[in-house]
């Protein structure tokens, strides 16, 4: 089994283009542990077998616990590995912290929620995290395929895609889990973009639809986009809206934003400015600058909502604070001094929301 010493970590860190002080690593470890706040006795584990370091064995046992569904026990073992006394911070970091953070952040995948944080934490491309990601992949090679965590191929694919900039290897790993909604969606995305594989829009749409039927909101949203734009087949606005609705019911904010655009543009669904405003409000409250801007327009013109000069300014300002030029222009528009704009001022194709 793969194991790492402090010296090997230092060598690998230098090899990927940088060094990192042990104090920085220790701070990272402490921050991770603080987020978990786990306490209680550790679950019992078998004796360390010949050829395994205690560090690697405990990490593997944590992964095994996670695979069996004992998430709390897995987290406690990861914490124990990271906190073991008498071991340098660098050695604690590799590989236990990667696995520990993967547990904390990949856990929502079991309920069909894909947190962006999994990419930021497990796949981040800082030098030491690149080392940790490499160690994770090497450690996995020593674990029988049927004993690896269920999400391994998906996470390995993301590591190759984002950390090591190797889309071909990423695509290979996504293909190892043909029935996993997350790997299936990532594979479809690669086919859609032609990254690591020849572009194949019809196949990408087919895979997105399969994942969407399994209830994955990201895939439902992607199907909607493909159908709206005619990627992989003929454009079908009505079906696109149906998939956006499916994703929106699961709280997928981008789907709400696209429903707002569809309701405004009478695209695949009858124009309904009140419902349009409701969807844009969800996007605006989530921090989407486009939604903030268009919600400001609705308040300024009184479409779907009561006219409210103050709320129009508020949402324009929120969008402008994120650097949106259109919102900055509205804040300085003469309409604020000479009466509020009319809906007809925003009726041309150039003044209506679009993809």
């Amino acid at each position: 089994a793969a194991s790492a010493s402090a010296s090997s970590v230092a060598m690998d860190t230098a090899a990927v283009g940088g060094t990192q002080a042990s104090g920085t690593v220790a701070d990272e470890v402490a921050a991770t542990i603080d987020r978990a706040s786990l306490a209680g006795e550790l679950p019992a584990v078998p004796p360390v077998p010949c050829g395994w370091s205690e560090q690697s064995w405990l990490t593997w046992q944590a992964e095994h616990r996670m695979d069996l569904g004992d998430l709390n026990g897995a987290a406690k073992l990861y914490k124990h590995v990271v906190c073991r006394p008498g071991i340098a911070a660098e050695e604690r970091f590799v590989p236990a912290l990667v696995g520990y953070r993967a547990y904390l952040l990949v856990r929502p995948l079991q309920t069909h929620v894909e947190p962006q944080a999994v990419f930021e934490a497990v796949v981040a491309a800082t030098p030491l995290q690149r080392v940790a990601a490499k160690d994770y992949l090497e450690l996995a090679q020593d674990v029988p395929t049927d004993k690896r965590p269920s999400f391994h191929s998906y996470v390995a694919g993301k590591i190759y895609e984002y950390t090591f900039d190797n889309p071909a290897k990423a695509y290979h790993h996504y293909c190892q889990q043909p029935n996993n909604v997350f790997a299936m969606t990532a594979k479809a995305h690669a086919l859609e973009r032609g990254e690591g594989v020849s572009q194949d829009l019809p196949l990408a749409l087919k895979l997105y639809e399969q994942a969407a039927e399994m209830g994955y909101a990201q895939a439902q949203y992607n199907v909607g986009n493909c159908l709206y734009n005619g990627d992989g087949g003929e454009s079908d606005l009505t079906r696109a809206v149906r998939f956006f609705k499916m994703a929106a019911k699961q709280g997928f904010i981008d789907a709400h934003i696209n429903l707002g655009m569809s309701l405004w543009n009478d695209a695949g669904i009858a124009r309904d400015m009140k419902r349009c405003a409701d969807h844009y409000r969800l996007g605006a409250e989530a921090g989407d600058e486009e939604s903030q801007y268009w919600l400001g327009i609705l308040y300024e013109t009184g479409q779907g909502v009561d006219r409210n000069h103050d709320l129009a300014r508020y949402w324009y300002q929120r969008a402008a604070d994120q650097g949106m030029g259109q919102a900055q222009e509205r804040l300085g528009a003469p309409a604020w001094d000479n009466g509020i704009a009319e809906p007809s001022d925003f009726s041309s194709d150039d003044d209506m929301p679009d993809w």
Side-chain angles (χ1 to χ4, degrees):
S3 60
S5 66
S7 59
S8 66
V9 171
M11 291 171 60
D12 286 341
T13 303
V16 295
T19 58
Q20 187 138 348
S22 60
T24 304
V25 180
D27 291 342
E28 181 74 4
V29 171
T32 305
I33 294 169
D34 289 342
R35 285 198 294 272
S37 300
L38 295 167
E41 294 184 2
L42 290 172
V45 297
V48 179
C50 180
W52 287 71
S53 70
E54 185 176 5
Q55 188 88 334
S56 296
W57 178 243
L58 289 174
T59 301
W60 155 233
Q61 285 295 315
E63 291 177 341
H64 183 57
R65 290 267 175 182
M66 181 162 44
D67 203 32
L68 294 175
D70 181 9
L71 303 182
N72 190 50
K76 288 179 179 178
L77 280 172
Y78 278 131
K79 179 179 179 181
H80 176 67
V81 174
V82 172
C83 295
R84 290 177 66 214
I87 298 177
E90 293 93 337
E91 188 173 2
R92 289 201 305 266
F93 184 92
V94 182
L97 186 56
V98 169
Y100 183 48
R101 297 182 76 178
Y103 159 72
L104 291 175
L105 297 169
V106 178
R107 177 173 53 177
L109 294 177
Q110 300 186 9
T111 57
H112 285 198
V113 177
E114 181 180 9
Q116 181 64 25
V118 72
F119 308 134
E120 298 171 358
V122 181
V123 193
T126 60
L128 195 53
Q129 284 173 316
R130 286 174 61 88
V131 175
K134 177 174 177 289
D135 193 85
Y136 172 86
L137 295 173
E138 291 178 350
L139 180 65
Q141 291 178 355
D142 296 316
V143 178
T145 302
D146 61 343
K147 299 295 185 182
R148 294 172 186 171
S150 59
F151 55 79
H152 165 71
S153 292
Y154 171 73
V155 172
K158 290 299 178 184
I159 287 174
Y160 278 115
E161 182 177 356
Y162 287 93
T163 304
F164 298 124
D165 192 24
N166 191 329
K169 277 196 173 183
Y171 182 78
H172 168 77
H173 279 280
Y174 298 145
C175 291
Q176 303 309 302
Q177 291 186 287
N179 298 318
N180 178 280
V181 291
F182 311 109
M184 188 184 301
T185 302
K187 178 181 176 181
H189 186 264
L191 288 162
E192 181 186 5
R193 302 295 182 89
E195 297 175 349
V197 64
S198 298
Q199 186 180 51
D200 190 332
L201 294 177
L203 180 55
L205 177 57
K206 179 181 178 180
L207 291 171
Y208 280 144
E209 288 180 321
Q210 290 176 6
E213 290 170 0
M214 296 169 70
Y216 187 27
Q218 175 72 64
Q220 292 165 349
Y221 169 77
N222 290 353
V223 170
N225 277 339
C226 288
L227 291 172
Y228 190 96
N229 295 316
D231 294 334
E234 294 184 3
S235 177
D236 189 332
L237 301 187
T238 302
R239 286 192 67 214
V241 167
R242 181 166 68 85
F243 279 97
F244 289 145
K245 286 181 176 179
M246 291 166 63
K249 284 181 179 179
Q250 297 193 61
F252 200 85
I253 292 298
D254 285 348
H256 283 289
I257 296 168
N258 283 6
L259 282 173
M261 288 188 278
S262 298
L263 287 160
W264 188 315
N265 292 323
D266 192 20
I269 188 171
R271 183 181 174 94
D272 186 331
M273 297 308 291
K274 183 179 184 304
R275 291 171 62 196
C276 170
D278 291 339
H279 286 292
Y280 272 133
R281 185 174 292 104
L282 289 170
E285 291 172 350
D288 178 70
E289 63 181 39
E290 294 281 346
S291 298
Q292 292 167 349
Y293 171 75
W294 291 111
L295 187 58
I297 294 292
L298 295 180
Y299 274 116
E300 183 181 357
T301 59
Q303 298 182 83
V305 294
D306 293 334
R307 277 186 171 179
N308 189 313
H309 205 153
D310 292 334
L311 283 175
R313 273 189 179 278
Y314 170 78
W315 288 114
Y316 286 147
Q317 189 63 61
R318 290 280 299 272
D321 289 343
Q322 298 192 65
M324 187 179 187
Q326 288 174 289
Q328 294 167 353
E329 291 175 5
R330 291 308 306 156
L331 286 171
W336 292 114
D337 300 320
N338 303 318
I340 299 177
E342 296 296 328
S344 59
D345 295 335
F346 299 91
S347 58
S348 71
D349 290 342
D350 292 337
D351 292 322
M352 296 175 71
D354 200 357
W355 263 245

